[in-house]
Amino acid sequence: MPRDPRFDPLFQPLKIGPVTAPNRFWQVPHCTGMGNRHPRTLAAMRGVKAEGGWGVVNTEYCSIHESSDDTPAIHASLWDDHDVRAHALMTEAVHFQGALAGVELWHGGIRVSNAWSRLAGLGPVSAMAENVPWQSARMDRQDVALLRQWHRAAALRAVQADFDVVYVYAAHTYLLAQFLDPVLNPVDWEARIGLVLALAEDTREAVGHRAAVATRIEVTDEDGTGQEERARLLERLAPLIDVFDVTIPDYGTEMGPSRFVKEAPLENHVAHVRAVTGKPVVCVGRFTSPETMLGQLRRGVLDFIGAARPSIADPFLPKKIDEGRMEDIRECIGCNICYAHDGLGAPIRCTQNPAMGEEWRRGWHPEDVPAITGRADPVLIVGAGPSGMEAALVLGRRGVPVLLAEAEDSPGGRVTREARLPGLSEWARVRDWRLGQLAKLPQVELFRASRMGVQDVLETGVGHVLVATGSLWRRDGTGRSNPGGIAGLGAVLTPDDILAGARPGDGPVVIFDDEGYHIAAGLADLLAAEGHEVTYVSPGGAVAEWSAYTTEQSRLQARLIGQGVTILTHLALAGRGEGTAEFACVHTGKPLGVACGTLIPVTSREPQDGLWHGLQGKGLTTLERIGDARAPGLIFHAVHDGHRAGRALFAPPEGPLRREVIAL
Ligand code: ADP
Ligand code: SF4
């Protein structure tokens, strides 16, 4: 279909400094956990985004000097010629698709660990680095002069690597933001803004003839005040800057998980920047709706639609708008699993887009799967959760006839259940997008309300079977704290029961969170909101500890506090007493009884692989269990495994994963 002309403004080129962006889709700098460790992986991934229509594709934060080393998080660097060659792989891949490539020059200041480089961090003060018990050095005049030299040298290397946009990065609590912060740098305003202006000037002077100079900067001070002073700063910067990439200091909103933050949350904060600077403005907003994007341009809020997560979930989002295929847009669900893996020091992945990070390593493309050559035998997939649906989609697209049998009336499996937790309705996009795509494939047939037993499977006469029957939460307390389970727990409700509609009876509810991600906290929130008296108990030190990686931890804890939930930590479930749940301190073993009418153990899950066992030795050509039926994981694991299985069937065996080879 041709593009709806209403969306033409999104496809108008725009000159920025000495270069011209081909359209208004700006993939803002975002971390990938690839950085200077995985240059080919990175180049292929960014190249795919350019292929999908992102007019400007940026790197992640790119260190200008070894004194800015964010270990264990992985970042890019422009320290030497080796780095220039590594980045050139990316700029070449991006240019090949007709897009511009940008780089975000970065110094972390007081925040970085420098655990690899062992150099001192630098900043306007000597302060504690993040998550480690050591401090940075207070910068003197010579340090400032050196910093300017490093920044300038990195900008020149950026141009050598053929970047078209060079960022002066003054946001996100890194070095330049520290200089702008009146708390960390309590000098007069002119002195505070001096370094940012100097670096903008240096960068313009060094590379402004070849590359657009951008800045990423907040529109208020760290505490959310000082908007007028910031506006004056933006005005001062305007002659030096070609594009303003603006945001607010509250990262939890900018990078907001959908549980708490919806589309376009920054509009009111940044709407003045265009008028103040007279320069093109970009800002993120987890934009996935073309209408919302258009509105941003029409109302004069933005010139470029900034996106990190929407471009991760669907690298082809711009192309789909261009081709009038709105319904094909694979919308980000706002789970922040992409961000979580940067914190884990691992390459990025995405719940919605299983090809993310696999473009080079496995040769996966987010839109194309290799068609079957010759006759394709039909495949039966049992279970239409995320893994079964994704496998059906891949196989269907490859031209394979698929029977997809689902026990329940409504497909989606765990996604359908988990999307019922407070704030998680957008997670249902995992199901809904796949259902929409499957409906376009006549060779895939979905059978609802069709629970398959061994005999039912054999009666279909289909010789290739993928068992995607998922997993269910255990009732016996088996988990990290109690690997052998707990005898005599008695009747409990599981998360599956609650999310299927069961509710506690009289008396207090006790939720034991041995998993540590979000399910137990979500249930506590849900049940407290319904009026139950809820106690949340964790063997860890905080509510939903793992969700710190997805930026949700603190807000989840605040929410439970706000709901009046009693929070108990450092306690492991030990058993059940008369009207109590019995716990023991994980450090001392000291027992504690907690009043309990209904116990909800959130400990671990049991793979539902009985069907797979039952089909062993029954003469099937293919019999594989996939997704949670094999290894219960997060939703992204299930989607990825379904995708892998869909590609692997009727294909030569996959070789070992491709690795980045370090020349020796
Ligand atoms: P995954 O995350 O691996 O996709 P889920 O638990 O989300 O796993 O989904 C598994 C799906 O399989 C559920 O929708 C469940 O109803 C379905 N299912 C389980 N057993 C059977 C069966 N015997 N026949 C058909 N569907 C089944
Ligand atoms: Fe969006 Fe989740 Fe994918 Fe990140 S991992 S891009 S938040 S769907």
Side-chain angles (χ1 to χ4, degrees):
M1 278 226 320
R3 179 208 306 162
D4 179 340
R6 274 189 327 117
F7 295 105
D8 285 352
L10 290 167
F11 294 89
Q12 244 133 58
L14 186 64
K15 192 165 154 46
I16 42 170
V19 294
T20 300
N23 61 33
R24 305 308 180 88
F25 295 95
W26 185 287
Q27 182 244 273
V28 296
H30 70 77
C31 28
T32 62
M34 295 173 188
N36 54 15
R37 307 255 184 97
H38 305 279
R40 292 175 189 82
T41 313
L42 189 59
M45 184 271 279
R46 302 283 193 207
V48 163
K49 295 218 203 171
E51 183 192 348
W54 295 90
V56 181
V57 178
N58 287 287
T59 62
E60 55 261 81
Y61 60 158
C62 178
S63 172
I64 58 168
H65 185 258
E66 290 98 328
S67 59
S68 183
D69 148 34
D70 213 17
T71 304
I74 299 171
H75 52 83
S77 54
L78 263 172
W79 297 339
D80 54 27
D81 290 347
H82 172 86
D83 282 338
V84 171
R85 286 194 295 278
H87 282 289
L89 297 173
M90 180 270 202
T91 57
E92 194 184 335
V94 168
H95 289 158
F96 181 74
Q97 303 294 346
L100 298 180
V103 60
E104 183 182 50
L105 299 185
W106 163 76
H107 197 293
I110 63 176
R111 269 187 63 183
V112 286
S113 74
N114 286 346
W116 172 80
S117 72
R118 304 193 200 179
L119 301 178
L122 296 166
V125 282
S126 174
M128 278 288 179
E130 201 168 72
N131 299 327
V132 290
W134 53 80
Q135 293 186 215
S136 52
R138 184 183 295 121
M139 289 171 80
D140 59 18
R141 274 177 194 285
Q142 202 185 348
D143 291 323
V144 170
L146 276 175
L147 179 88
R148 288 181 66 174
Q149 281 175 30
W150 300 335
H151 200 275
R152 187 186 160 81
L156 289 168
R157 284 192 201 103
V159 163
Q160 245 183 296
D162 219 8
F163 280 107
D164 312 285
V165 180
V166 177
Y167 268 75
V168 176
Y169 187 14
H172 296 148
T173 70
Y174 292 124
L175 181 69
L176 293 185
Q178 292 154 21
F179 270 85
L180 291 176
D181 184 343
V183 176
L184 294 173
N185 193 21
V187 292
D188 70 48
W189 186 70
E190 283 293 337
R192 274 207 324 267
I193 66 170
L195 188 59
V196 175
L197 285 169
L199 290 193
E201 229 169 281
D202 291 349
T203 309
R204 181 158 207 91
E205 194 266 320
V207 301
H209 59 285
R210 159 67 185 92
V213 180
T215 187
R216 211 174 200 188
I217 194 161
E218 280 128 5
V219 294
T220 70
D221 287 340
E222 217 23 59
D223 63 359
T225 65
Q227 201 206 47
E228 273 175 30
E229 279 192 345
R230 284 290 174 133
R232 267 164 57 213
L233 170 59
L234 297 181
E235 212 177 330
R236 288 275 287 276
L237 279 166
L240 306 168
I241 296 293
D242 300 308
V243 184
F244 282 86
D245 181 346
V246 282
T247 184
I248 59 170
D250 177 2
Y251 200 56
T253 297
E254 180 196 327
M255 179 67 198
S258 61
R259 193 191 302 270
F260 302 115
V261 179
K262 303 302 171 199
E263 195 176 22
L266 304 186
E267 173 168 346
N268 292 340
H269 300 276
V270 304
H272 62 291
V273 177
R274 213 161 164 252
V276 166
T277 62
K279 290 290 175 76
V281 174
V282 55
C283 177
V284 296
R286 205 160 55 78
F287 297 114
T288 56
S289 149
E291 296 290 346
T292 310
M293 297 178 198
L294 194 60
Q296 299 286 308
L297 298 195
R298 283 254 158 83
R299 288 197 303 283
V301 181
L302 301 180
D303 297 278
F304 290 103
I305 302 303
R309 289 171 292 173
S311 76
I312 294 167
D314 195 345
F316 276 64
L317 185 152
K319 210 156 235 179
K320 288 173 183 174
I321 300 176
D322 194 17
E323 293 171 358
R325 298 192 289 127
M326 312 301 188
E327 76 287 359
D328 289 340
I329 294 174
R330 191 172 40 219
E331 289 180 288
C332 166
I333 68 165
C335 61
N336 285 3
I337 282 297
C338 46
Y339 182 67
H341 283 78
D342 186 56
L344 289 164
I348 193 169
R349 64 218 54 201
C350 171
T351 300
Q352 276 284 56
N353 173 14
M356 177 48 53
E358 301 283 22
E359 301 84 353
W360 180 81
R361 187 171 77 160
R362 285 180 128 130
W364 289 2
H365 188 277
E367 296 298 303
D368 303 328
V369 284
I372 300 280
T373 47
R375 196 177 67 91
D377 290 337
V379 174
L380 170 67
I381 301 175
V382 184
S387 66
M389 283 193 293
E390 179 68 18
L393 183 58
V394 172
L395 284 165
R397 285 179 169 174
R398 292 177 67 203
V400 177
V402 177
L403 311 172
L404 176 58
E406 167 53 48
E408 303 291 327
D409 233 359
S410 24
R414 61 177 299 181
V415 163
T416 297
R417 291 194 293 275
E418 287 171 34
R420 294 179 184 137
L421 285 167
L424 292 195
S425 58
E426 284 183 46
W427 287 29
R429 290 172 172 177
V430 172
R431 174 197 64 206
D432 296 340
W433 180 79
R434 283 172 179 76
L435 281 179
Q437 298 295 301
L438 287 171
K440 292 184 169 193
L441 295 171
Q443 62 273 39
V444 179
E445 226 177 322
L446 170 63
F447 298 90
R448 296 166 190 256
S450 303
R451 182 171 292 279
M452 304 292 282
V454 171
Q455 216 40 46
D456 304 313
V457 171
L458 297 176
E459 276 168 18
T460 64
V462 175
H464 303 278
V465 178
L466 297 180
V467 177
T469 42
S471 64
L472 293 174
W473 288 96
R474 289 173 168 143
R475 293 178 184 277
D476 66 356
T478 298
R480 249 188 231 112
S481 298
N482 299 284
I486 304 169
L489 268 196
V492 299
L493 285 180
T494 68
D496 300 309
D497 297 334
I498 302 281
L499 295 174
R503 285 298 177 265
D506 291 340
V509 177
V510 175
I511 303 177
F512 175 53
D513 184 5
D514 205 24
E515 182 215 22
Y517 186 22
H518 70 106
I519 297 285
L523 291 175
D525 188 4
L526 178 79
L527 295 175
E530 289 178 4
H532 294 276
E533 181 190 336
V534 179
T535 302
Y536 166 98
V537 189
S538 163
V543 168
E545 277 187 321
W546 199 83
S547 69
Y549 288 110
T550 60
T551 73
E552 294 167 297
Q553 192 281 324
S554 181
R555 281 200 194 184
L556 271 171
Q557 184 139 359
R559 182 112 130 206
L560 296 203
I561 293 168
Q563 294 273 33
V565 172
T566 304
I567 297 168
L568 302 175
T569 55
H570 304 287
L571 290 167
L573 184 62
R576 198 89 184 253
E578 196 61 43
T580 62
E582 294 298 321
F583 291 89
C585 170
V586 295
H587 306 297
T588 64
K590 189 176 168 195
L592 179 75
V594 178
C596 174
T598 301
L599 177 66
I600 304 176
V602 185
T603 54
S604 66
R605 283 172 284 157
E606 185 63 24
Q608 298 300 296
D609 56 0
L611 180 65
W612 177 81
H613 282 292
L615 287 168
Q616 298 292 326
K618 298 284 195 260
L620 295 173
T621 314
T622 304
L623 175 63
E624 195 189 341
R625 36 182 190 168
I626 63 172
D628 289 324
R630 182 152 187 276
L634 306 190
I635 298 168
F636 80 83
H637 288 109
V639 173
H640 185 271
D641 201 41
H643 192 88
R644 177 203 56 74
R647 281 178 180 264
L649 208 59
F650 312 126
E654 202 186 23
L657 294 176
R658 222 167 151 201
R659 294 170 58 197
E660 303 262 0
V661 177
I662 301 166
L664 296 173

